[in-house]
Amino acid sequence: MSASRRSGTTDELGPDEPEPEGPHGPEGPEESGGSDLLAALLDGMDAALCAFDADGVVTHWNREAERILGWTAAEAVGRHGFAGWAVRSADAEDVQARLMSAMHAPGRQVHEFALVTKDGGRVLVRTQSAAVRGPDGKPAGVYCAFSEVHAQIDLERSIALSEALFEDASWGVVLVDADLRPAVVNAHAARALGIGRTSALGRPLGELLAQGVEELESALTHVLAEGAPPAPAEMWVTVRAPEGEKRRCWRSGFVRLASPLAEEPVPLGVGWLFLDVTEGKQGEQEAALLRFRGNQLHRAARAAAECEDPAEVATVHLDFALAGFADHALLDRLAAPPRAEGDDAVPVRLVRLAATPAGGPGPSLLTGAAGLPVRYEEGHPALSCVERAGSVRADAGSIPAERAREWALARQWPGDAVHALCAVLRSRGRTLGVVTFLRGAGRSRFERSDAAYAEDVAVRIAAALDLAEAVREKPKPGE
């Protein structure tokens, strides 16, 4: 018997046919080596495989078929069809006809039917059968590959899921190889990155993102070494787009990809799934900022209610507003009487009333007892604020640190100021002065929402200064 038969498989000859004798006897070295190779290939397959000759006799039966049904190759090879052992008697004729029909049909045929295991159980299998051609090209038998239906369905679901993720998913999916370069990018991710699907492949992440690359690469490296994190991570990145750079927040999940064919897990890369949550995060941040600022205004009002001196009330509001909002604050009042709307005859001169310490943090200090005007040059933001009776923003821009310091000192501001916001002090239809908030290089520039908050603070400060002025002008009893 050939080596393939000894291992439970046979060659294309039937089990009862004589084997040709070669020059070295019944089993020549070439035939024996070819049969051993065939047996090894068949037994190493992941799919169950059996084959029939033209008469329907089983000629091949590999180890996966033995695993699924329990019948060994010695028990299966040589039987005529599945009748009486691998299928129920009532189904045997139909199953045999469907299998053998592939011998005279083009291509492969797919069927599903129940087979009987050695212990009497039943298992639903999906088969693919096709004709085996002889040397003359005529059908010589049928081979049949089969697997359990649930395993086949799991495989099909996995394939369908992969295709859906890379075609129709509403979130970004990127497969990153072990060198941290994109290997596969779906359509949603390509749109988020502002690049074509094929253009992103094999490129370093630093070429796709302007900022946030270090954090992303660190996360990918961690997943390759340690596995998937227990929860999604929110990452802020800056994407290069044709219209300019865009800052986005991506809620990202990571899974480590390992080869299912290796005996030990071999990392193939990382599956990175992300969803753009920028609008939601910005909304959360804005809501939290509004809550904080509202609380600060409330706390300032409670503290101001306990102050006897209205001028102290003004500094209390200034100090509470400064927290989390700016690095410095300046409070200037008009040297001349308050200006009514449209009163442009008298030039604007401002006297420093209060300021935060220039050297470090601390409460605002009342100054300006001498009443000397601040040396603001023409066109200064504070003067423009008074003249317009509205808020004014100013920025040093993208200039070297030394020039930015010169810019601030020329405007009578602390040397580390690079962003400024001036809000006018108005009460009873008159302009009383201006409050200036300053930020250093470590903070962002003032936005419209910041101007609205500064104006709320300015209203409270203006009311306090107006009250202080009225108290000073009110005659004391007996005068």
Side-chain angles (χ1 to χ4, degrees):
M1 182 177 287
S2 69
S4 60
R5 292 182 187 174
R6 287 197 304 270
S7 64
T9 59
T10 68
D11 53 21
E12 65 272 12
L13 299 175
D16 299 326
E17 299 181 30
E19 298 183 6
E21 295 187 7
H24 299 281
E27 295 189 20
E30 292 185 4
E31 190 273 340
S32 177
S35 297
D36 288 341
L37 176 59
L38 175 62
L41 291 174
L42 294 179
D43 285 338
M45 294 178 62
D46 291 333
L49 185 137
C50 64
F52 305 88
D53 63 14
D55 296 325
V57 176
V58 178
T59 61
H60 295 75
W61 190 266
N62 72 348
R63 294 189 187 278
E64 184 65 12
E66 178 181 342
R67 186 194 68 79
I68 293 176
L69 297 179
W71 300 98
T72 65
E75 294 170 321
V77 173
R79 290 179 180 266
H80 190 279
F82 287 155
W85 62 288
V87 295
R88 295 190 312 171
S89 300
D91 300 332
E93 184 177 350
D94 176 62
V95 170
Q96 188 72 7
R98 290 162 69 183
L99 287 175
M100 298 307 295
S101 65
M103 191 167 59
H104 303 287
R108 290 180 296 178
Q109 291 188 342
V110 179
H111 301 286
E112 288 185 6
F113 42 75
L115 295 181
V116 178
T117 62
K118 187 176 181 178
D119 59 7
R122 299 183 69 196
V123 57
L124 184 63
V125 300
R126 178 174 294 177
T127 66
Q128 293 188 39
S129 53
V132 176
R133 305 288 175 180
D136 56 358
K138 295 181 180 180
V142 173
Y143 81 83
C144 173
F146 63 91
S147 60
E148 297 174 82
V149 167
H150 71 82
Q152 182 71 20
I153 291 176
D154 288 345
L155 176 61
E156 291 179 1
R157 283 174 178 162
S158 297
I159 295 173
L161 174 61
S162 298
E163 292 181 351
L165 286 175
F166 289 113
E167 296 297 336
D168 306 321
S170 57
W171 55 87
V173 181
V174 180
L175 296 190
V176 182
D177 62 21
D179 295 327
L180 305 186
R181 294 171 182 257
V184 184
V185 179
N186 77 339
H188 186 96
R191 289 193 297 270
L193 292 168
I195 195 171
R197 294 182 63 178
T198 56
S199 302
L201 303 184
R203 298 176 60 179
L205 293 173
E207 295 183 6
L208 306 179
L209 300 175
Q211 295 180 5
V213 178
E214 295 81 3
E215 183 181 5
L216 176 58
E217 290 184 341
S218 176
L220 295 172
T221 303
H222 173 81
V223 174
L224 280 172
E226 305 292 338
E234 292 178 351
M235 297 183 175
W236 284 93
V237 299
T238 301
V239 181
R240 294 188 178 96
E243 59 274 14
E245 295 184 350
K246 293 183 177 180
R247 185 162 171 79
R248 313 302 297 171
C249 181
W250 290 343
R251 182 170 294 151
S252 302
F254 304 92
V255 290
R256 181 168 60 180
L257 306 178
S259 173
L261 304 179
E263 294 183 4
E264 297 182 359
V266 178
L268 296 178
V270 177
W272 171 32
L273 295 84
F274 65 89
L275 185 66
D276 194 319
V277 294
T278 307
E279 294 183 2
K281 290 300 295 182
Q282 289 177 340
E284 292 176 6
Q285 292 175 350
E286 291 174 1
L289 186 60
L290 286 175
R291 285 195 300 270
F292 173 75
R293 290 178 175 176
N295 289 336
Q296 287 297 99
L297 291 175
H298 174 73
R299 294 172 61 196
R302 294 285 300 271
E306 304 302 322
C307 298
E308 296 183 4
D309 185 0
E312 184 182 356
V313 171
T315 60
V316 166
H317 281 291
L318 196 63
D319 291 336
F320 274 95
L322 199 64
F325 182 67
D327 297 314
H328 306 283
L330 309 173
L331 183 58
D332 299 327
R333 63 176 177 83
L334 283 174
R339 291 163 60 97
E341 187 174 353
D343 186 2
D344 300 328
V346 181
V348 177
R349 292 189 304 163
L350 294 171
V351 175
R352 180 65 41 81
L353 181 63
T356 52
S364 301
L365 303 176
L366 289 171
T367 61
L372 299 177
V374 184
R375 294 181 297 104
Y376 287 151
E377 296 181 356
E378 185 177 355
H380 190 281
L383 301 179
S384 300
C385 177
V386 174
E387 293 170 354
R388 299 177 186 178
S391 299
V392 175
R393 289 179 288 176
D395 291 279
S398 301
I399 58 177
E402 188 58 34
R403 289 189 58 192
R405 177 178 177 81
E406 295 174 0
W407 176 86
L409 295 177
R411 287 158 179 76
Q412 309 302 315
W413 293 335
D416 60 343
V418 295
H419 309 294
L421 172 61
C422 299
V424 66
L425 305 177
R426 298 274 297 174
S427 178
R428 294 190 293 165
R430 301 173 304 160
T431 298
L432 306 181
V434 59
V435 59
T436 302
F437 294 100
L438 302 169
R439 289 178 177 174
R443 292 176 179 264
S444 61
R445 64 191 301 271
F446 288 100
E447 304 293 343
R448 291 187 180 274
S449 58
D450 298 323
Y453 178 62
E455 289 167 1
D456 284 344
V457 176
V459 168
R460 289 162 170 77
I461 293 177
L465 294 181
D466 197 9
L467 178 60
E469 189 70 25
V471 170
R472 283 196 300 270
E473 294 176 355
K474 182 178 180 181
K476 296 180 181 180
E479 291 184 357

